[in-house]
Amino acid sequence: TTSGIDVVAMWPELFTDMSDIDRNAIRQSFAASWHDGWQPDREDVADLAAQTRGTITAEEYRHRIRNRAQPREATQRQADEA
């Protein structure tokens, strides 16, 4: 795609039973984040897809993101200090 990343093409199994509108909203969300320098992984995409489907709450989604961000930030700080 012209966006540089297409999480729907990368992990199509995460988007079954989802409307085109929801699928495209997730695709665009991750494409925008990618342009800002963030590389999502499968777990990031799976959680947003689950929240979009309603299988987890928005609160649970935020909780999962925060828990994953802490180790990533620590790793980045270590890399920056090296």
Side-chain angles (χ1 to χ4, degrees), residues 24-37:
N24 285 328
I26 292 173
R27 176 185 285 126
Q28 293 304 315
S29 175
F30 282 107
S33 296
W34 180 84
H35 278 291
D36 289 338

Side-chain angles (χ1 to χ4, degrees), residues 18-82:
M18 190 177 288
S19 73
D20 287 343
I21 292 170
D22 288 341
R23 204 174 6 258
N24 285 328
I26 292 173
R27 176 185 285 126
Q28 293 304 315
S29 175
F30 282 107
S33 296
W34 180 84
H35 278 291
D36 289 338
W38 180 59
Q39 182 68 41
D41 62 24
R42 188 183 189 287
E43 196 172 15
D44 297 320
V45 178
D47 284 344
L48 185 55
Q51 194 266 323
T52 300
R53 260 192 226 91
T55 54
I56 64 171
T57 64
E59 182 179 344
E60 175 64 17
Y61 173 70
R62 287 188 298 273
H63 174 74
R64 291 178 183 192
I65 296 239
R66 280 191 299 268
N67 285 344
R68 272 198 305 281
Q70 292 169 349
R72 289 177 183 172
E73 290 169 358
T75 301
Q76 184 60 47
R77 277 194 301 276
Q78 290 172 353
D80 291 345
E81 293 170 0

